[in-house]
Amino acid sequence: MVGECDDLVRTVAPHLDVVRVERVWSAGGVVRIAARTRELTAPCPDCGRRTTRVHSRYCRTLADVAVGGRPVVIRLSVRRLFCDAPGCGRRTFAEQVEGLTVRYQRRSPLLQHLVEMAGVLLAGRGDARLLQILKAPLSRTSVLFHVMRMPLPPAPTPRVLGVDDFALYADTYGTLLVDAESRLPIELWPGRDAEQLAAWLRAHPGARVVCRDGSLVYRQGITEGAPDAVQVSDRFHLWQGLSKRVSDVAAAHRGCLPAAVVDPEPAPVNPALSPEPANTPARRHAKRLFEAVHAAGGTGRSLSAMARELGLNRRTVAKYARATTWQEYVRRTPPRRTTSLDPYLEYLQQRWDEGEHTASVLHQEITAKGYCGHYQRVKMAVAPLRSGLPIDTPRERPPSPRQTARWITTAPSRRSLHATEALGRLLTHCPELDRAHDLVRQFAAMLDTRDATALSDWIEQLATSRLPALAGLVKALREDQPAIVQGITTTFNSGVNEGRICDLKLQKRIMAGRAGVPLLRHRVILMAVLRRRHP
């Protein structure tokens, strides 16, 4: 019987060769084990001298992982021993059983590891529910308390370091450092200031390559903290920044965008029934913002100062500050989308001209021809005919500035036939967009061939392009040109950073976005440790 009990205890908690099981029973759905330590020598925790002289015994109650869906409780009798070493300051000590007991802990190491891993991976209510299923109930706050008690390993110094920022909430950002070779995060802190990055790099010397975006803050921090490291401006962020400026160019020439459609002229409407465009709320709002931003900008203040004074978002202020006219950002009502009734509009017009003006009859006739829509749509379609107006036929929408920028930045071989034809008409009509298209394709060729020989000439073309949105890039490109050359010609990039930031945002959402930076940092670093151990 004792041998069978020993086997059960070894199944529940390994490494119990120094424990003798006295009794195993089940009560109230809980497996209970009574055991006591064997009369073996035990080392003093201070001096390490082994002893067998017993002072007394006392009982410890330990929770262990469940067996057969039932929780396990171990009542273990342990010894308090004398330390007979002359130079040791400890007189007595309690023996510890490796693999079963830890000082001041009422769980076995196996169960404690389970609690900690559940907290690291799920955090909060999710791990509390999991532990309830595993018959180890614990509140979410207790689990998070155990997670925060876990020690963090020292941060390694990678050869290739990735630096990027991420949004914590609203306009508050944090900084994430990633080992680009192991593809794992190594540090996280709130804010994105140069001093903190420089201090970390000085405390962890050895980074040879640092990948970053075009941020001036990170550039200064890397220059101060690791002046010998090669800085690489990420090609994705370069392309993203250029795409945004191309979108601004398209927005500045919004009046040219209808040239992309086959029939840019709108259908004739009765002027008496259409409102005066200058009096629409959207146009008045755009004009008011444009005038306010340009009036405040005449004093030479920064965009942030103008945003605070006007009570606007900084991006809104920047958008209207770049605009040359307020009409560039007027919200326009788009043309009607196509519907399932469009194939039958010609038939409805024909039957109307023949004298059939009853919408229900017209609905029955086109239903017999295969129309599956509602009668109300037919009634609304023939309503303009009762006022002497033509049927509102669908027209192709002019492209938006963002869609135009997407056409320009997409490789010609990957554009659809419709996009190719529409872009061709647009570039023929607007020489400014044609110039922007040529500049984008030149930069794309440098990225494709990994050849930055023409970068200086390309920057000069930007400066003389007479496109304010693109010319605004020239100063930043010249200041960061060595890092841009590295981004074009080398394989180093910030793709790993972006992937880890997506993972970090997932962890934030798991915690319902209510976790502070210390807990988020703990979980991100500890999960990286787990990935290193179990790739």
Side-chain angles (χ1 to χ4, degrees), residues 58-131:
Y58 72 99
C59 289
R60 296 184 62 174
T61 302
L62 304 169
D64 201 358
V65 292
V67 172
R70 292 183 294 177
V72 175
V73 176
I74 303 174
R75 185 173 175 81
L76 181 64
S77 174
V78 297
R79 298 173 296 169
R80 179 170 290 277
L81 303 167
F82 286 104
C83 180
D84 296 327
C88 183
R90 184 181 292 272
R91 302 301 300 272
T92 63
F93 62 92
E95 66 177 333
Q96 304 295 333
V97 180
E98 184 180 358
L100 181 60
T101 64
V102 179
R103 294 184 68 188
Y104 308 118
Q105 189 164 291
R106 302 187 67 179
R107 297 182 190 86
S108 67
L110 186 60
L111 181 58
Q112 181 65 20
H113 178 73
L114 178 64
V115 170
E116 292 174 348
M117 291 303 100
V120 169
L121 298 176
L122 297 178
R125 299 185 188 278
D127 55 40
R129 295 189 186 102
L130 176 63
L131 293 175

Side-chain angles (χ1 to χ4, degrees), residues 423-444:
L423 183 61
R425 290 190 292 267
L426 180 58
L427 299 183
T428 302
H429 181 269
C430 183
E432 289 81 6
L433 288 176
D434 188 27
R435 193 178 308 122
H437 176 265
D438 290 340
L439 292 170
V440 169
R441 298 270 49 93
Q442 291 179 35
F443 189 72

Side-chain angles (χ1 to χ4, degrees), residues 209-476:
V209 179
V210 183
C211 303
R212 56 166 175 81
D213 56 12
S215 170
L216 175 62
V217 173
Y218 290 148
R219 187 199 316 169
Q220 294 174 345
I222 297 168
T223 303
E224 295 174 5
D228 297 332
V230 177
Q231 298 189 39
V232 178
S233 185
D234 180 51
R235 52 200 292 136
F236 165 75
H237 290 93
L238 292 172
W239 188 255
Q240 185 184 49
L242 181 61
S243 300
K244 290 180 179 178
R245 294 306 180 102
V246 172
S247 180
D248 293 339
V249 173
H253 297 83
R254 192 186 294 267
C256 300
L257 301 186
V261 301
V262 178
D263 184 14
E265 295 298 327
V269 295
N270 189 349
L273 300 179
S274 62
E276 179 64 29
N279 294 328
T280 59
R283 296 173 72 85
R284 291 197 299 269
H285 178 72
K287 184 177 181 181
R288 183 170 62 252
L289 290 181
F290 177 83
E291 292 175 350
V293 169
H294 280 263
T299 60
R301 284 175 293 179
S302 65
L303 294 177
S304 299
M306 290 190 291
R308 287 192 296 269
E309 177 185 347
L310 300 174
L312 298 174
N313 187 283
R314 187 182 182 280
R315 294 181 181 179
T316 303
V317 174
K319 179 178 70 173
Y320 280 96
R322 289 193 302 265
T324 55
T325 63
W326 59 269
Q327 288 88 347
E328 296 176 14
Y329 292 104
V330 176
R331 297 177 184 173
R332 291 170 170 80
T333 304
R336 181 177 68 81
R337 293 182 180 273
T338 58
T339 67
S340 60
L341 184 61
D342 293 340
Y344 306 95
L345 293 179
E346 185 177 351
Y347 177 79
L348 292 177
Q349 181 70 54
Q350 175 186 345
R351 292 291 290 132
W352 187 275
D353 295 340
E354 293 174 358
E356 182 55 68
H357 297 171
T358 305
S360 59
V361 175
L362 294 174
H363 178 257
Q364 293 174 3
E365 292 180 1
I366 63 174
T367 300
K369 291 179 174 293
Y371 175 65
C372 300
H374 196 270
Y375 153 77
Q376 191 68 23
R377 178 163 289 178
V378 178
K379 179 181 176 181
M380 295 175 62
V382 299
L385 298 175
R386 301 185 189 278
S387 302
L389 299 175
I391 290 181
D392 185 16
T393 56
R395 303 189 308 274
E396 183 181 1
R397 290 184 173 192
S400 65
R402 182 176 297 181
Q403 184 178 8
T404 304
R406 189 180 304 117
W407 287 349
I408 292 175
T409 55
T410 300
S413 60
R414 301 185 61 182
R415 294 181 194 140
S416 64
L417 178 61
H418 169 73
T420 302
E421 295 175 350
L423 183 61
R425 290 190 292 267
L426 180 58
L427 299 183
T428 302
H429 181 269
C430 183
E432 289 81 6
L433 288 176
D434 188 27
R435 193 178 308 122
H437 176 265
D438 290 340
L439 292 170
V440 169
R441 298 270 49 93
Q442 291 179 35
F443 189 72
M446 286 188 276
L447 293 179
D448 292 340
T449 59
R450 296 189 182 278
D451 184 5
T453 309
L455 180 61
S456 298
D457 295 338
W458 182 78
I459 295 176
E460 292 299 326
Q461 292 183 48
L462 286 184
T464 59
S465 64
R466 288 185 286 183
L467 298 173
L470 294 181
L473 291 171
V474 172
K475 181 180 178 181

